[in-house]
Amino acid sequence: MSTKPTKTLDPVPNPHPEREYEVEIRCPEFTALCPKTGQPDFATITVRYVPGPKIIELKSLKLYLWAFRDEGHFHEDVTNIILNDLVEALEPRWMQVEGEFNVRGGIYTNVRVEHNPEFKRARA
Amino acid sequence: MSTKPTKTLDPVPNPHPEREYEVEIRCPEFTALCPKTGQPDFATITVRYVPGPKIIELKSLKLYLWAFRDEGHFHEDVTNIILNDLVEALEPRWMQVEGEFNVRGGIYTNVRVEHNPEFKRARA
Amino acid sequence: MSTKPTKTLDPVPNPHPEREYEVEIRCPEFTALCPKTGQPDFATITVRYVPGPKIIELKSLKLYLWAFRDEGHFHEDVTNIILNDLVEALEPRWMQVEGEFNVRGGIYTNVRVEHNPEFKRARA
Amino acid sequence: MSTKPTKTLDPVPNPHPEREYEVEIRCPEFTALCPKTGQPDFATITVRYVPGPKIIELKSLKLYLWAFRDEGHFHEDVTNIILNDLVEALEPRWMQVEGEFNVRGGIYTNVRVEHNPEFKRARA
Amino acid sequence: MSTKPTKTLDPVPNPHPEREYEVEIRCPEFTALCPKTGQPDFATITVRYVPGPKIIELKSLKLYLWAFRDEGHFHEDVTNIILNDLVEALEPRWMQVEGEFNVRGGIYTNVRVEHNPEFKRARA
Amino acid sequence: MSTKPTKTLDPVPNPHPEREYEVEIRCPEFTALCPKTGQPDFATITVRYVPGPKIIELKSLKLYLWAFRDEGHFHEDVTNIILNDLVEALEPRWMQVEGEFNVRGGIYTNVRVEHNPEFKRARA
Amino acid sequence: MSTKPTKTLDPVPNPHPEREYEVEIRCPEFTALCPKTGQPDFATITVRYVPGPKIIELKSLKLYLWAFRDEGHFHEDVTNIILNDLVEALEPRWMQVEGEFNVRGGIYTNVRVEHNPEFKRARA
Amino acid sequence: MSTKPTKTLDPVPNPHPEREYEVEIRCPEFTALCPKTGQPDFATITVRYVPGPKIIELKSLKLYLWAFRDEGHFHEDVTNIILNDLVEALEPRWMQVEGEFNVRGGIYTNVRVEHNPEFKRARA
Amino acid sequence: MSTKPTKTLDPVPNPHPEREYEVEIRCPEFTALCPKTGQPDFATITVRYVPGPKIIELKSLKLYLWAFRDEGHFHEDVTNIILNDLVEALEPRWMQVEGEFNVRGGIYTNVRVEHNPEFKRARA
Amino acid sequence: MSTKPTKTLDPVPNPHPEREYEVEIRCPEFTALCPKTGQPDFATITVRYVPGPKIIELKSLKLYLWAFRDEGHFHEDVTNIILNDLVEALEPRWMQVEGEFNVRGGIYTNVRVEHNPEFKRARA
């Protein structure tokens, strides 16, 4: 099998578009490079969303995240980029992306980015 | 004993229908098949509800969940189906079904579906 | 010592009735019988309340819960019964009783019953 | 169903009597009475054994342990009694019974009793 | 060193009185006597507060809590007493005292008492 | 993809047959049927071994364990059968199979079976 | 009830003196005074033993440990004293006393004292 | 490499200033001196913020926190100081600094300080 | 900084070569490619050793492990290769390398490889 | 109070020199400097020993460990140095010093050094 990583996200139709429900997808195997030192960074990426017309298929998401393996990205930036790409591809009612980055220099960093926060607030 | 799995849910009368109380039922032994590969999927299914006129009896729920063993279902779809079936059978004031699916391809998926979310919001 | 279990609850006066404060009492040693099979059931019973004029004394509560040992009760029913008995005896401002029942047939059940939920909502 | 607790143990033949293998059975729902106060005691009973010609069937063990529910026993004594009964019924190559008793008076007690300890030592 | 326990609380000035911030102080080594049996009771006392003009100094609090060692107190009463003493000494904007008492007779008790709950509600 | 479960194990050559090293493979998704009631049983199967000329490939092991899904087996028996099949296919220097079965009737069962225990003892 | 703490240990006869079995008793509520500062120290005391002709009764042990409440003792010393007292009273085949003392000055101390270590070694 | 600790904070531009997102940075290796005794104190410092025009770079934050190593500070004071310095350097939309200080005299202290709490309340 | 990964290991002299002591180094950020599918694999690599004339410097080890990032390796093989490389570079008295590989297809794999096991056995 | 850190260890006489018992002392607040970068390192130092004629007093040990705060040391070296100093001061029957160093560059290091290992082996 020769699957290749790609940033193309292939959504599938949401089987229950009439209902507001929540999906959480956790990927503990994200790795990219540090843009300053070129050394590998590691993170757990968690995507939480209330689907709109489309949902993400797991294999497609895996290939998308894998495609960052040889790219250099800052923590705050890459978490925002992943959110932007997923929002464009899925048109969700609400989405949050969280990146929990491994300790560097004795410091743990966690970035949490949200699309359409009003959706959640109106239902709190 | 030769119990057979069946999707017929046999509710019993709620012994305290006048009160709004909450029941949580957790089933860590749910298994179905992947509709794409035919391979087994595993999940913990949790049902949380505020009963209306009827409550679910444990043996009946066990047989209902067992009946998915040889069927192919996507994660998002099967969680919605279980909610729909239980809502139809129990007519609850409020219900939530959560499916925590085992890791596949390095990714953990969790689907949380709710019936009558207004009930909870009005009491928050 | 020949203490005998009894369902008589002997409250004592609340030493600070002017203040709204909260007490949580957790009893991991509750056991009753299944009314269908006659087999023992086990649960942790947790009582949370904001006292009114009276508070429960621990020994009295212990004897009360012990008195269920040889009785048959369904999960949803016995949790409501305990709440009703304690509310009648203590006249609390607010009370919640939670029963976390041991796994049966691969399923864990948790029942949470509340007296005067408006008290908490007005203070949320 | 009207199963009644009984101290009769019904072993079944060991399906692999030619091999020395180990079985561990953990029962967190053991309860008996304190012979001094008559109050309920609770424990987790764990049976570890290397079967000889017979193995214990789970339902039979459940009924056997249930039969202690209304009897008064000291911690050290009841753990030895369970070992003796199981050794007589099963003729195991080696057996250990451990009773982990719930806290009483701020003190946790654990009793571990062994049949044929030479078996283990010769294989250490 | 011959420090003696005393119920005199010696606050120090709050170095940042202009800001509403929160302090949590947890003391897992509280012990008093049961007023009915004279036997020792043990608890973790946690003080959470938003300081007003004064903050408590740790050594002073340690001596204050130590002074309960030879006194008899009921759970609900002693938690209220500690709150009252600290409120009088510190004049906090808000304060909560929680007592988590060790298991007695198979029952765990937790008492949570609050001063000026309106402060928190207005900021929720 | 239409992979079908099968009990045929396809080992691959051990890349370092000259060295005694240990492999542990844990499969938390084993399910079979209870031969008495026909109801599903669930277990975690762990294989620990010191390879001889061959090692097991993960996909082959996954298909082998999957093939038990519709068969009825007792706990003690199926653990021995898995060991026997793997020993025949791999000719390991040493092997242990452990089955940790989910709670049934309030009882947890664990079966641990070993091939060539003398290997380990001689190296202890 | 006016039980008074006392260092008199009242053993009872071992109900199974013919068998070598092990008892572990854990007391998380031990407190004494620091002989240098007079301040309270806290510890968990664990007694593990293989009984000889006598076993310790829990209430007697509770009163014995309680009697240290107003005495000053160093960590290493008090652990040895408890072992010596228990060995004299019980004449055990083997005994170990472990004191896990709460953190002082950022340092956790643990003292483990053993009577007749040859007993264990001969059976290892 | 001869990096020197300094209290100069060097922020970098926020790559996504248009979006309100949250960053959490946890530093378990903070140490300062006690201003009363001169002895070392240890804490975990956690910074949570919603960036404005600037974000903090990890190395710069590490050097800033390191610069406290030889200074004397009270718990409540140093937590406020860190917040004030970071707010001045970063101009965040919202910020919280939490200091979890190691146990001293059997007491654990936790200080939580917030900048612009209205930001969070308006979005709750 | 433009450090490049390389498989060259640069040991430094052992500062205490006269003593047999043990070093454990755990690297949770190992990643390589699956030689069959080309997809990324993740593992925690732990090196335990008793140094001989040389010890490994952390930066050198980090670069060595990083150099596997774009190579394809089977689990059993890569663990043996790392051991062989480290033994050649460090000439340790004893060494063990353990690879704990992330779940694939519902199966967790752990490989543990040892150099000079006689060293440990002679000291057990 | 103006205690100053010093490397002078002041032992006190062992109160029970006739018995072989074990003391474990854990200090999670050790910090020194990296000799290469000058940056702070953090570790938990654990001392386990069987005392000879002398035992270490906690305050003396605290001051001794504090004295490393401004010194540069490699992990393997400093752990050996602490063992050597303690052995010289205490003349223990047996001693082990373990240093668990915080993660650096994604790698956790643990060094375990032992004095008179024959003592333990003869008693295993």
Side-chain angles (χ1 to χ4, degrees), chain C:
Chain C
M1 181 164 44
S2 62
T3 326
K4 283 278 166 270
T6 156
K7 286 216 177 137
T8 310
L9 285 158
D10 293 316
V12 296
N14 177 354
H16 295 268
E18 73 290 352
R19 179 177 279 147
E20 293 178 356
Y21 65 97
E22 193 162 331
V23 181
E24 179 179 304
I25 297 176
R26 188 161 54 89
C27 322
E29 299 183 344
F30 181 80
T31 182
L33 303 177
C34 173
K36 285 177 67 177
T37 65
Q39 297 187 10
D41 271 336
F42 291 82
T44 292
I45 299 292
T46 302
V47 179
R48 302 181 184 92
Y49 72 113
V50 176
K54 293 175 266 186
I55 58 173
I56 189 65
E57 194 265 340
L58 286 192
K59 185 162 191 179
S60 172
L61 179 62
K62 190 170 88 171
L63 292 174
Y64 168 77
L65 291 173
W66 177 9
F68 287 88
R69 191 175 173 93
D70 296 320
E71 299 181 4
H73 290 285
F74 287 104
H75 294 1
E76 286 87 351
D77 199 23
V78 73
T79 315
N80 275 285
I81 289 171
I82 293 172
L83 177 66
N84 288 343
D85 287 352
L86 286 168
V87 164
E88 188 183 316
L90 299 180
E91 299 167 47
R93 283 154 161 144
W94 170 82
M95 182 174 279
Q96 188 189 64
V97 175
E98 183 168 6
E100 299 166 85
F101 294 86
N102 276 19
V103 59
R104 286 293 173 267
I107 295 182
Y108 297 78
T109 303
N110 201 328
V111 181
R112 203 161 49 233
V113 185
E114 199 172 352
H115 164 75
N116 195 19
E118 294 75 19
F119 179 90
K120 278 281 177 177
R121 273 175 221 149
R123 284 151 186 81

Side-chain angles (χ1 to χ4, degrees), chain B:
Chain B
M1 181 164 45
S2 61
T3 325
K4 283 276 167 271
T6 157
K7 287 219 176 136
T8 311
L9 284 158
D10 293 316
V12 295
N14 177 355
H16 295 267
E18 74 290 353
R19 180 177 277 149
E20 293 178 357
Y21 64 96
E22 193 163 331
V23 181
E24 179 180 304
I25 297 176
R26 186 162 55 88
C27 323
E29 299 183 344
F30 181 80
T31 182
L33 302 177
C34 173
K36 285 177 67 177
T37 65
Q39 297 187 10
D41 272 337
F42 292 83
T44 293
I45 299 293
T46 302
V47 179
R48 302 180 185 92
Y49 72 114
V50 176
K54 292 175 267 184
I55 58 174
I56 188 68
E57 194 265 339
L58 287 191
K59 186 162 193 179
S60 172
L61 180 61
K62 192 170 87 172
L63 293 174
Y64 168 77
L65 292 172
W66 177 11
F68 288 87
R69 191 174 175 94
D70 295 321
E71 300 180 3
H73 290 284
F74 287 105
H75 296 359
E76 287 87 350
D77 199 24
V78 73
T79 315
N80 275 286
I81 288 171
I82 294 172
L83 177 66
N84 288 344
D85 288 352
L86 285 168
V87 165
E88 188 182 315
L90 299 179
E91 300 166 48
R93 284 155 160 142
W94 169 82
M95 182 175 278
Q96 188 190 63
V97 174
E98 183 168 7
E100 300 166 85
F101 293 85
N102 275 20
V103 60
R104 285 294 173 269
I107 295 183
Y108 297 79
T109 303
N110 200 329
V111 181
R112 204 163 47 235
V113 184
E114 199 171 351
H115 165 75
N116 195 19
E118 294 74 20
F119 179 90
K120 278 281 177 178
R121 275 176 220 149
R123 285 153 185 80

Side-chain angles (χ1 to χ4, degrees), chain G residues 63-82:
Chain G
L63 293 172
Y64 167 78
L65 291 172
W66 178 11
F68 287 88
R69 189 172 173 95
D70 296 320
E71 300 182 3
H73 289 285
F74 288 105
H75 295 359
E76 286 87 351
D77 200 22
V78 73
T79 316
N80 274 284
I81 288 171
I82 293 172

